[in-house]
Amino acid sequence: MYRFLLTPRWWGINAFVALAIPFCIFMGTWQLDRFEDRVDSHQEAKKAPAPSERAAVPLTELLPVDKRTAGRPATASGVYGKQFRVPDRQVDGERGDYVLTLLKTDGGPVLPVVRGWVPKDDPLPAAPSGEVTVTGVLQPSEHMGTDGVHSTGGLPAGQLGMISAASLVNLVPDEVHNAWITLMKADADMVAVPPVMVEGSGLDLKAFQNLGYTGEWFVFAAFMLFMWFRLVRREAEEFRDRELGLTPDPAA
């Protein structure tokens, strides 16, 4: 009755199912691993002390910035230079602007430093002159998916839509660190900008998307197997009916 499984058409169907089911299981397992990694990162982040409770270390010891070093207090020395307004940023539920000043570090690239937050359209406080040593929380460069970021195109001179080396490369002549810090204590009576959680280190929407994709891939695998059994059963029933003479043989 099941000789039809050896026909060329069914060889193609069987090969497709035999490849598709393991692929779906692999993708579902990969998405589950991604979710479990985010859970582990979230647990580690909860156990880690707050930035204010950790000792600050020289910036060079924390670069390049990654999940392990992002959120760590860092110190850097140098001279403040060009300053930018980063518009439409929210702190404590209020809309305003970050005050970002580039710090020319001793013997290295410039470091973007968010010195604080001011209400919209308030003048930017001048940066301290001369050699300074700053202490802030290390943050990775922003990208277009980061909250608050918008396109830098069309902004007035002196404004920056995204804090990143890529957005600064054409605005300053110096090499720029692919990271930035937010001061733990804001300058000039500004409001300190709280550090943000590193992407992929918490149970955010993307983490639960991974869990949802896990279920989808396993459902695809089960549906593929179910449909294969349905097709086999239907073909077997048609073959049996032809053998019993209940339906005409199309080859006759």
Side-chain angles (χ1 to χ4, degrees):
M1 182 182 297
Y2 293 98
R3 291 195 301 273
F4 62 85
L5 290 174
L6 300 178
T7 61
R9 181 171 72 91
W10 272 94
W11 270 112
I13 295 174
N14 294 337
F16 174 77
V17 172
L19 293 174
I21 291 177
F23 176 77
C24 291
I25 293 174
F26 168 78
M27 291 300 299
T29 303
W30 180 73
Q31 291 289 351
L32 182 61
D33 288 342
R34 292 288 303 276
F35 174 74
E36 291 176 344
D37 287 343
R38 290 177 183 272
V39 172
D40 292 341
S41 298
H42 177 67
Q43 295 298 329
E44 292 176 4
K46 287 178 62 178
K47 294 177 182 177
S52 59
E53 300 172 353
R54 305 182 73 167
V57 299
L59 175 70
T60 53
E61 296 182 14
L62 301 177
L63 296 177
V65 62
D66 54 23
K67 289 183 181 181
R68 180 183 60 84
T69 60
R72 294 278 303 275
T75 62
S77 298
V79 177
Y80 277 128
K82 195 167 184 178
Q83 186 157 269
F84 296 89
R85 181 187 294 271
V86 185
D88 198 27
R89 296 302 179 101
Q90 186 169 304
V91 173
D92 295 333
E94 298 290 334
R95 289 282 178 181
D97 304 326
Y98 289 173
V99 179
L100 184 144
T101 312
L102 299 181
L103 181 72
K104 177 62 178 177
T105 58
D106 298 334
V110 296
L111 173 69
V113 177
V114 172
R115 297 171 48 234
W117 175 95
V118 296
K120 186 177 181 181
D121 298 327
D122 274 17
L124 302 186
S129 60
E131 183 84 8
V132 296
T133 297
V134 298
T135 301
V137 181
L138 185 64
Q139 302 279 267
S141 286
E142 294 180 335
H143 53 79
M144 287 307 298
T146 305
D147 288 342
V149 166
H150 51 82
S151 174
T152 57
L155 289 177
Q159 293 195 15
L160 193 68
M162 178 169 57
I163 307 173
S164 71
S167 63
L168 286 163
V169 67
N170 293 322
L171 301 179
V172 295
D174 303 299
E175 182 183 357
V176 181
H177 278 298
N178 192 28
W180 57 284
I181 66 170
T182 175
L183 294 188
M184 300 176 71
K185 183 178 180 181
D187 281 342
D189 297 324
M190 291 182 285
V191 178
V193 175
V196 297
M197 180 178 291
V198 183
E199 289 186 6
S201 63
L203 294 180
D204 53 11
L205 177 61
K206 290 184 178 180
F208 289 102
Q209 283 179 340
N210 291 136
L211 188 60
Y213 294 149
T214 298
E216 287 181 2
W217 281 113
F218 288 146
V219 168
F220 290 158
F223 179 74
M224 195 78 63
L225 188 62
F226 169 75
M227 289 303 298
W228 183 83
F229 276 113
R230 282 289 303 273
L231 289 173
V232 169
R233 181 179 177 182
R234 188 181 69 177
E235 190 91 1
E237 289 175 348
E238 291 178 355
F239 181 83
R240 182 195 60 194
D241 290 346
R242 288 194 298 271
E243 288 288 308
L244 297 175
L246 300 177
T247 58
D249 189 344

mmCIF file of all heavy atoms in Angstrom, residues 39-60:
data_model
loop_
_atom_site.group_PDB
_atom_site.id
_atom_site.type_symbol
_atom_site.label_atom_id
_atom_site.label_comp_id
_atom_site.label_asym_id
_atom_site.label_seq_id
_atom_site.Cartn_x
_atom_site.Cartn_y
_atom_site.Cartn_z
ATOM 1 N N VAL A 39 18.518 35.830 29.779
ATOM 2 C CA VAL A 39 18.134 35.594 31.170
ATOM 3 C C VAL A 39 19.374 35.571 32.062
ATOM 4 O O VAL A 39 19.404 36.181 33.137
ATOM 5 C CB VAL A 39 17.345 34.279 31.310
ATOM 6 C CG1 VAL A 39 17.126 33.929 32.773
ATOM 7 C CG2 VAL A 39 15.999 34.383 30.599
ATOM 8 N N ASP A 40 20.418 34.865 31.613
ATOM 9 C CA ASP A 40 21.659 34.806 32.388
ATOM 10 C C ASP A 40 22.277 36.196 32.541
ATOM 11 O O ASP A 40 22.749 36.561 33.622
ATOM 12 C CB ASP A 40 22.664 33.865 31.710
ATOM 13 C CG ASP A 40 22.213 32.414 31.758
ATOM 14 O OD1 ASP A 40 21.351 32.083 32.596
ATOM 15 O OD2 ASP A 40 22.710 31.610 30.948
ATOM 16 N N SER A 41 22.266 36.979 31.443
ATOM 17 C CA SER A 41 22.815 38.334 31.510
ATOM 18 C C SER A 41 22.008 39.201 32.464
ATOM 19 O O SER A 41 22.558 40.024 33.196
ATOM 20 C CB SER A 41 22.834 38.972 30.109
ATOM 21 O OG SER A 41 23.665 38.252 29.234
ATOM 22 N N HIS A 42 20.697 39.007 32.453
ATOM 23 C CA HIS A 42 19.839 39.770 33.359
ATOM 24 C C HIS A 42 20.151 39.435 34.810
ATOM 25 O O HIS A 42 20.224 40.334 35.664
ATOM 26 C CB HIS A 42 18.379 39.457 33.038
ATOM 27 C CG HIS A 42 17.395 40.130 33.945
ATOM 28 N ND1 HIS A 42 17.208 41.490 33.960
ATOM 29 C CD2 HIS A 42 16.550 39.624 34.892
ATOM 30 C CE1 HIS A 42 16.294 41.806 34.858
ATOM 31 N NE2 HIS A 42 15.881 40.692 35.434
ATOM 32 N N GLN A 43 20.337 38.153 35.093
ATOM 33 C CA GLN A 43 20.666 37.743 36.464
ATOM 34 C C GLN A 43 22.013 38.302 36.894
ATOM 35 O O GLN A 43 22.179 38.753 38.037
ATOM 36 C CB GLN A 43 20.668 36.215 36.561
ATOM 37 C CG GLN A 43 19.304 35.570 36.335
ATOM 38 C CD GLN A 43 18.268 35.998 37.359
ATOM 39 O OE1 GLN A 43 18.598 36.282 38.513
ATOM 40 N NE2 GLN A 43 17.011 36.059 36.937
ATOM 41 N N GLU A 44 22.985 38.283 35.974
ATOM 42 C CA GLU A 44 24.294 38.842 36.300
ATOM 43 C C GLU A 44 24.207 40.336 36.547
ATOM 44 O O GLU A 44 24.851 40.877 37.456
ATOM 45 C CB GLU A 44 25.280 38.558 35.162
ATOM 46 C CG GLU A 44 25.638 37.083 35.019
ATOM 47 C CD GLU A 44 26.542 36.829 33.827
ATOM 48 O OE1 GLU A 44 26.939 37.823 33.177
ATOM 49 O OE2 GLU A 44 26.834 35.653 33.540
ATOM 50 N N ALA A 45 23.397 41.027 35.718
ATOM 51 C CA ALA A 45 23.249 42.473 35.890
ATOM 52 C C ALA A 45 22.589 42.804 37.221
ATOM 53 O O ALA A 45 22.933 43.801 37.865
ATOM 54 C CB ALA A 45 22.435 43.052 34.733
ATOM 55 N N LYS A 46 21.630 41.977 37.666
ATOM 56 C CA LYS A 46 20.968 42.221 38.946
ATOM 57 C C LYS A 46 21.926 42.021 40.113
ATOM 58 O O LYS A 46 21.832 42.717 41.129
ATOM 59 C CB LYS A 46 19.769 41.285 39.097
ATOM 60 C CG LYS A 46 18.577 41.641 38.212
ATOM 61 C CD LYS A 46 17.454 40.651 38.369
ATOM 62 C CE LYS A 46 16.917 40.618 39.786
ATOM 63 N NZ LYS A 46 15.776 39.680 39.908
ATOM 64 N N LYS A 47 22.844 41.063 39.962
ATOM 65 C CA LYS A 47 23.787 40.784 41.040
ATOM 66 C C LYS A 47 24.933 41.789 41.081
ATOM 67 O O LYS A 47 25.567 41.975 42.120
ATOM 68 C CB LYS A 47 24.356 39.374 40.871
ATOM 69 C CG LYS A 47 23.320 38.263 41.037
ATOM 70 C CD LYS A 47 23.943 36.899 40.775
ATOM 71 C CE LYS A 47 22.905 35.786 40.884
ATOM 72 N NZ LYS A 47 23.509 34.459 40.557
ATOM 73 N N ALA A 48 25.204 42.421 39.942
ATOM 74 C CA ALA A 48 26.333 43.361 39.876
ATOM 75 C C ALA A 48 26.031 44.598 40.719
ATOM 76 O O ALA A 48 24.897 45.068 40.772
ATOM 77 C CB ALA A 48 26.594 43.763 38.432
ATOM 78 N N PRO A 49 27.033 45.148 41.397
ATOM 79 C CA PRO A 49 26.814 46.367 42.176
ATOM 80 C C PRO A 49 26.509 47.556 41.283
ATOM 81 O O PRO A 49 26.869 47.576 40.104
ATOM 82 C CB PRO A 49 28.148 46.550 42.914
ATOM 83 C CG PRO A 49 29.149 45.810 42.090
ATOM 84 C CD PRO A 49 28.409 44.653 41.486
ATOM 85 N N ALA A 50 25.829 48.537 41.828
ATOM 86 C CA ALA A 50 25.517 49.751 41.085
ATOM 87 C C ALA A 50 26.808 50.478 40.743
ATOM 88 O O ALA A 50 27.822 50.336 41.432
ATOM 89 C CB ALA A 50 24.604 50.651 41.913
ATOM 90 N N PRO A 51 26.814 51.272 39.631
ATOM 91 C CA PRO A 51 28.032 51.993 39.260
ATOM 92 C C PRO A 51 28.612 52.828 40.390
ATOM 93 O O PRO A 51 29.837 52.915 40.545
ATOM 94 C CB PRO A 51 27.553 52.883 38.099
ATOM 95 C CG PRO A 51 26.421 52.124 37.495
ATOM 96 C CD PRO A 51 25.738 51.465 38.649
ATOM 97 N N SER A 52 27.743 53.426 41.212
ATOM 98 C CA SER A 52 28.236 54.268 42.307
ATOM 99 C C SER A 52 28.940 53.469 43.390
ATOM 100 O O SER A 52 29.667 54.027 44.215
ATOM 101 C CB SER A 52 27.063 55.049 42.922
ATOM 102 O OG SER A 52 26.074 54.152 43.422
ATOM 103 N N GLU A 53 28.730 52.149 43.390
ATOM 104 C CA GLU A 53 29.345 51.288 44.407
ATOM 105 C C GLU A 53 30.623 50.631 43.908
ATOM 106 O O GLU A 53 31.281 49.921 44.670
ATOM 107 C CB GLU A 53 28.344 50.209 44.842
ATOM 108 C CG GLU A 53 27.059 50.762 45.455
ATOM 109 C CD GLU A 53 26.029 49.682 45.702
ATOM 110 O OE1 GLU A 53 26.265 48.525 45.266
ATOM 111 O OE2 GLU A 53 25.005 49.963 46.331
ATOM 112 N N ARG A 54 30.982 50.853 42.650
ATOM 113 C CA ARG A 54 32.165 50.216 42.084
ATOM 114 C C ARG A 54 33.284 51.241 41.944
ATOM 115 O O ARG A 54 33.025 52.433 41.712
ATOM 116 C CB ARG A 54 31.848 49.600 40.717
ATOM 117 C CG ARG A 54 30.684 48.645 40.760
ATOM 118 C CD ARG A 54 30.408 48.012 39.420
ATOM 119 N NE ARG A 54 31.412 47.022 39.072
ATOM 120 C CZ ARG A 54 31.288 46.150 38.083
ATOM 121 N NH1 ARG A 54 30.196 46.148 37.341
ATOM 122 N NH2 ARG A 54 32.239 45.281 37.813
ATOM 123 N N ALA A 55 34.470 50.759 42.089
ATOM 124 C CA ALA A 55 35.628 51.648 41.959
ATOM 125 C C ALA A 55 35.855 51.982 40.488
ATOM 126 O O ALA A 55 35.770 51.107 39.623
ATOM 127 C CB ALA A 55 36.862 50.984 42.551
ATOM 128 N N ALA A 56 36.128 53.234 40.219
ATOM 129 C CA ALA A 56 36.414 53.655 38.847
ATOM 130 C C ALA A 56 37.821 53.234 38.458
ATOM 131 O O ALA A 56 38.746 53.267 39.281
ATOM 132 C CB ALA A 56 36.258 55.165 38.714
ATOM 133 N N VAL A 57 37.981 52.836 37.205
ATOM 134 C CA VAL A 57 39.281 52.423 36.691
ATOM 135 C C VAL A 57 39.581 53.239 35.445
ATOM 136 O O VAL A 57 38.674 53.803 34.829
ATOM 137 C CB VAL A 57 39.307 50.907 36.368
ATOM 138 C CG1 VAL A 57 39.050 50.086 37.615
ATOM 139 C CG2 VAL A 57 38.287 50.568 35.296
ATOM 140 N N PRO A 58 40.849 53.324 35.054
ATOM 141 C CA PRO A 58 41.180 54.086 33.844
ATOM 142 C C PRO A 58 40.420 53.577 32.620
ATOM 143 O O PRO A 58 40.211 52.370 32.453
ATOM 144 C CB PRO A 58 42.688 53.867 33.699
ATOM 145 C CG PRO A 58 43.169 53.598 35.088
ATOM 146 C CD PRO A 58 42.050 52.827 35.744
ATOM 147 N N LEU A 59 40.016 54.498 31.784
ATOM 148 C CA LEU A 59 39.236 54.169 30.595
ATOM 149 C C LEU A 59 39.905 53.105 29.740
ATOM 150 O O LEU A 59 39.240 52.196 29.218
ATOM 151 C CB LEU A 59 39.011 55.439 29.766
ATOM 152 C CG LEU A 59 38.317 55.279 28.414
ATOM 153 C CD1 LEU A 59 36.865 54.913 28.607
ATOM 154 C CD2 LEU A 59 38.462 56.546 27.578
ATOM 155 N N THR A 60 41.219 53.197 29.589
ATOM 156 C CA THR A 60 41.935 52.280 28.700
ATOM 157 C C THR A 60 41.813 50.824 29.144
ATOM 158 O O THR A 60 41.952 49.915 28.323
ATOM 159 C CB THR A 60 43.421 52.664 28.628
ATOM 160 O OG1 THR A 60 43.959 52.748 29.961
ATOM 161 C CG2 THR A 60 43.595 54.003 27.930
#
